[in-house]
Amino acid sequence: LYDTFPRRPESLPDLNSIDEIAFTSPSPVAAFFQFYGALPEGKSIWTQGAVTRCALERERLKERTISIL
């Protein structure tokens, strides 16, 4: 099929000015965590579909596991 490779923008958007984060597929979920490391507190998070929701939950589990270690 195909592989996706996230490209880091020259500057990342400041998440303080964003109220909601929407993920439409698993690739943006992986890229977000690669660039930001974690979801910010106090933001509405929206996913399109079960596969994307599962990808987000996997990343959040990794985040919690790393913080415990």
Side-chain angles (χ1 to χ4, degrees):
L1 291 166
Y2 65 91
D3 292 319
T4 57
F5 301 98
R7 289 185 291 175
R8 184 180 178 91
E10 289 183 25
S11 64
L12 292 173
D14 178 10
L15 297 180
N16 290 322
S17 61
I18 296 172
D19 296 325
E20 183 177 50
I21 301 170
F23 296 106
T24 57
S25 69
S27 298
V29 171
F32 183 92
F33 279 85
Q34 180 180 341
F35 298 144
Y36 287 100
L39 290 172
E41 296 290 323
K43 305 294 181 187
S44 294
I45 307 296
W46 178 85
T47 59
Q48 180 176 340
V51 173
T52 305
R53 185 173 47 252
C54 286
L56 180 62
E57 289 305 316
R58 264 194 316 273
E59 290 295 338
R60 292 175 95 179
L61 268 175
K62 287 181 198 175
E63 177 187 342
R64 286 186 219 129
T65 302
I66 290 169
S67 67
I68 292 171
L69 298 175

